[in-house]
Amino acid sequence: MASSTRVVIVAVAFTVVATFYSLSELHRMSAMHADAETTKFATHTGDNNRILRAGGQTSAISSTSAGTGQVGSAASVGTTAATTSTSTAVATATTTTTTAATTATATTTTTGGSSGDHKCYTYEHTELWGDVVVWGTLNKKKTAGECCDACLNYQPTGADEPGCNVWVYCGDEVKCGSQHQQCWLKHLVHPEASKPARTGPQTPWTSGTIDVDINADPGTDAKKASGAPRMFHTVTSAQGAAVHWQVRIHYYWWKKRKEECQKQGNCEMGGFTRLLHSGQSDDLMDELPTVVVDPLPQSMVEHSWYVVLNRPYAFVQWTQRVKIPEPYVLMSEPDHIYLRPMPNFMKGNAPAAFPFFYIEPSKAENVHITKKFTGEITQKQLEEIAPIGNSPTFMTFEDMKKVMPTWMNVSIAVFKDQEANSVWGWVQEMYGFTIALWINGIKHVDLFLNMQAQPPWDQEMHMANGKPFYILHYTYGMDYKLSGEFTPGKFGEWRFDKRTYGSRPPPRHLGEPPKNMKNDLVRALINSINEASAALPCWDQYAETGKAVYDCDEIKTLTDPRFKKDGKGIA
């Protein structure tokens, strides 16, 4: 057999294995979406050893697995915990008015004294998740304010036992019935990363969070303080045929939203870079501003089936080679479609990111694995590690320079560790990223659920609290009957899955979703792909061959101002 033929066969084999593994992970995470509302949270000690950092903490994790009580309008039942960030309900109301969900804000109270200077954010008609630290049946208060004070003043029984950062109070005597004046004190890892259990006018509960506003606006405080736009550079990493067409769609929408942003004024969207980590130029060099970097050498670690491991090394090279005028960076991905002009989500210099419900470094079954890469740390320190990946994430360019090498090293160590590789699977480099942030002393990340929508699990263009989604991430398959009924986990009569187009781009004019389908985001996705493929020149030939061309007849009548007459993009 000729050597070139063997190379092709091996390459195809690796592609098949990687695709199969990716699909397996997709099905696993889709199942986690469906199961998230019934997942329980506990912590325990585990085997640990230190690596990737000098020194380390020596305090042990205490068991905090406690009896729980997810409060409901009926009798109390078992709790659902921090992993419930995919619950379909969202906090909606305020403590001052009983208005529609889309006008929700939080009332803020600052309390000093024995509890120190802490802010208590309050949300009417909202029930938040959390592990119970004080049962409401044994803890009645006259007002929501007293319940907030009880949370602020709560003292854990042990040094590493969970404190109170969430409270839930029932103040409506008629609607609450026997639960009237119950004040439940809870602990929830990253409250802003979890959608509420219930919300809306029919929810009698008032909830609160300590020092975290789950309805915060992106970057508002920093904008007010600086009075000027805080420009950020968008960098999107890419490699391979599967994302070749995605990054063209992605860049089309980035340019369109930036134009809208500039017309609005005070725009913070700066430059764009496609970070191509294949080591070779390709046919999109003239269409997209691109920096080519090398893939992670196989001599460092054999990772043919897991090309994602090239990403951390790509960012190491990028931060070492380039100089950009913007002080901030948004790390994005090819399967992101921008729904509106992007603001800088950072409140200060701390990173800002979208929280993923399946990234759980402090969860019981992950604790001993996480500590393999952090060293021996306490449960409180584990909870400082944010539930994020590198994308979508905003951070300063200076922080990136420090964090990227650690991200690469941790990701390689995770990949080499048989247990971590198996348990964390396709998202292991996401764990590597957030652990790298923590190792570098970045202990706080501002989390925004409305930074990104993930259909079909998200359905509307706004969250229930009125916050608009900014990015549409099409990572999951979308299946519906022709009647419009959603069929999760089962191939629908109508379906869209980006993996269908792993080797060739989708054609123009993808079929519309069923008329009675009630998912606005799925419809927006298909419309977005169709608009971009119609506008990008020579897409018909591109869909047939997978190669971008700029010499077809439609070039002669090209009207899109973002392209020159040869069809190539204007940077």
Side-chain angles (χ1 to χ4, degrees):
M1 182 184 295
S3 60
S4 59
T5 305
R6 285 197 297 269
V7 169
V8 171
I9 291 174
V10 170
V12 170
F14 278 134
T15 301
V16 170
V17 170
T19 302
F20 176 80
Y21 190 79
S22 175
L23 286 170
S24 297
E25 287 296 301
L26 174 70
H27 288 308
R28 182 176 68 84
M29 289 189 289
S30 295
M32 289 171 67
H33 262 289
D35 293 341
E37 294 185 11
T38 56
T39 304
K40 294 189 176 181
F41 175 85
T43 59
H44 62 73
T45 56
D47 297 328
N48 317 287
N49 68 106
R50 290 174 294 178
I51 128 181
L52 298 174
R53 58 181 275 165
Q57 304 297 325
T58 57
S59 53
I61 295 179
S62 302
S63 174
T64 57
S65 140
T68 56
Q70 182 261 313
V71 188
S73 57
S76 298
V77 296
T79 197
T80 309
T83 55
T84 56
S85 62
T86 58
S87 168
T88 54
V90 184
T92 58
T94 73
T95 56
T96 54
T97 58
T98 308
T99 55
T102 54
T103 59
T105 56
T107 295
T108 309
T109 303
T110 303
T111 303
S114 61
S115 60
D117 292 326
H118 293 282
K119 290 183 178 179
C120 184
Y121 294 90
T122 306
Y123 320 92
E124 274 190 352
H125 305 291
T126 300
E127 181 185 347
L128 297 180
W129 298 109
D131 288 321
V132 173
V133 296
V134 174
W135 289 71
T137 52
L138 306 174
N139 185 42
K140 293 199 172 185
K141 302 295 179 183
K142 293 182 179 179
T143 66
E146 288 184 10
C147 190
C148 170
D149 288 338
C151 186
L152 286 162
N153 293 310
Y154 174 76
Q155 297 296 321
T157 55
D160 204 32
E161 293 294 315
C164 178
N165 65 346
V166 169
W167 54 268
V168 181
Y169 177 76
C170 209
D172 189 315
E173 184 173 3
V174 175
K175 292 183 178 180
C176 294
S178 62
Q179 294 175 313
H180 182 229
Q181 295 188 335
Q182 287 186 7
C183 172
W184 293 77
L185 306 186
K186 300 184 178 184
H187 178 77
L188 179 59
V189 183
H190 304 294
E192 72 276 35
S194 297
K195 296 177 183 178
R198 291 190 304 155
T199 188
Q202 300 306 312
T203 303
W205 298 91
T206 294
S207 293
T209 51
I210 307 301
D211 294 335
V212 173
D213 182 3
I214 64 174
N215 290 336
D217 290 320
T220 300
D221 295 338
K223 282 183 182 178
K224 289 181 178 178
S226 66
R230 297 180 308 142
M231 305 299 293
F232 65 88
H233 191 96
T234 302
V235 56
T236 300
S237 59
Q239 177 185 355
V243 301
H244 191 274
W245 64 269
Q246 294 174 27
V247 77
R248 297 187 76 187
I249 303 288
H250 170 80
Y251 186 53
Y252 171 90
W253 283 103
W254 180 88
K255 289 194 294 182
K256 183 168 183 174
R257 297 311 182 198
K258 183 176 179 180
E259 289 176 1
E260 295 171 1
C261 183
Q262 291 174 323
K263 289 178 181 178
Q264 292 173 1
N266 209 33
C267 182
E268 297 179 309
M269 297 177 71
F272 179 95
T273 296
R274 177 183 61 142
L275 184 57
L276 181 60
H277 44 77
S278 63
Q280 297 179 334
S281 300
D282 66 2
D283 52 352
L284 296 180
M285 299 298 294
D286 291 326
E287 184 176 325
L288 290 83
T290 300
V291 171
V292 180
V293 294
D294 294 325
L296 182 70
Q298 294 291 334
S299 59
M300 293 183 66
V301 57
E302 203 292 315
H303 63 287
S304 301
W305 65 270
Y306 188 62
V307 296
V308 183
L309 205 56
N310 291 329
R311 185 181 296 158
Y313 183 52
F315 276 97
V316 170
Q317 296 171 80
W318 185 71
T319 54
Q320 292 175 348
R321 292 181 186 178
V322 306
K323 292 183 179 180
I324 56 174
E326 304 91 346
Y328 308 100
V329 175
L330 166 63
M331 289 177 279
S332 192
E333 293 186 5
D335 59 353
H336 288 175
I337 288 177
Y338 299 100
L339 297 172
R340 62 195 77 248
M342 286 288 292
N344 185 336
F345 275 69
M346 296 171 66
K347 295 179 180 179
N349 284 329
F354 173 81
F356 291 89
F357 78 96
Y358 48 80
I359 303 298
E360 302 173 292
S362 63
K363 192 177 181 181
E365 52 263 45
N366 288 328
V367 166
H368 71 286
I369 303 177
T370 303
K371 290 166 72 174
K372 290 181 179 184
F373 312 105
T374 62
E376 184 66 29
I377 60 176
T378 67
Q379 181 66 21
K380 290 181 180 179
Q381 289 172 313
L382 282 162
E383 292 181 5
E384 292 172 344
I385 304 174
I388 65 171
N390 83 292
S391 173
T393 294
F394 289 85
M395 60 190 303
T396 67
F397 188 58
E398 291 303 312
D399 278 346
M400 287 186 71
K401 292 178 183 178
K402 295 185 299 181
V403 172
M404 298 301 105
T406 311
W407 178 25
M408 179 185 71
N409 290 334
V410 175
S411 296
I412 292 173
V414 170
F415 184 82
K416 288 182 174 180
D417 185 277
Q418 185 175 0
E419 182 183 22
N421 190 316
S422 174
V423 173
W424 290 346
W426 197 255
V427 299
Q428 58 185 267
E429 57 84 30
M430 296 173 69
Y431 275 96
F433 177 79
T434 191
I435 290 171
L437 285 181
W438 190 90
I439 289 175
N440 278 276
I442 300 176
K443 308 296 178 65
H444 176 78
V445 177
D446 288 308
L447 304 175
F448 295 91
L449 283 166
N450 70 311
M451 186 183 291
Q452 175 174 271
Q454 299 193 106
W457 306 103
D458 292 311
Q459 300 182 45
E460 299 179 354
M461 302 294 284
H462 293 72
M463 293 178 60
N465 62 2
K467 303 295 181 184
F469 286 118
Y470 285 86
I471 292 172
L472 190 158
H473 182 210
Y474 53 102
T475 191
Y476 296 107
M478 305 163 203
D479 294 274
Y480 294 86
K481 292 182 179 179
L482 295 181
S483 63
E485 179 186 346
F486 181 37
T487 59
K490 180 181 179 181
F491 272 45
E493 296 168 310
W494 182 95
R495 78 183 315 261
F496 175 83
D497 190 330
K498 65 181 183 181
R499 292 158 191 81
T500 304
Y501 307 103
S503 59
R504 287 286 186 273
R508 281 172 167 162
H509 315 301
L510 287 173
E512 287 287 325
K515 181 179 179 180
N516 294 324
M517 184 204 67
K518 301 187 183 301
N519 192 309
D520 294 340
L521 286 164
V522 172
R523 202 171 299 279
L525 168 63
I526 301 304
N527 290 341
S528 297
I529 294 174
N530 282 342
E531 178 180 330
S533 63
L536 293 169
C538 309
W539 190 276
D540 290 331
Q541 292 87 336
Y542 177 56
E544 291 178 2
T545 65
K547 298 291 184 181
V549 294
Y550 305 100
D551 57 358
C552 60
D553 290 340
E554 64 190 78
I555 289 294
K556 300 175 183 178
T557 57
L558 188 67
T559 58
D560 193 320
R562 286 164 293 188
F563 287 91
K564 295 178 288 187
K565 285 301 178 183
D566 60 1
K568 297 180 180 180
I570 298 175

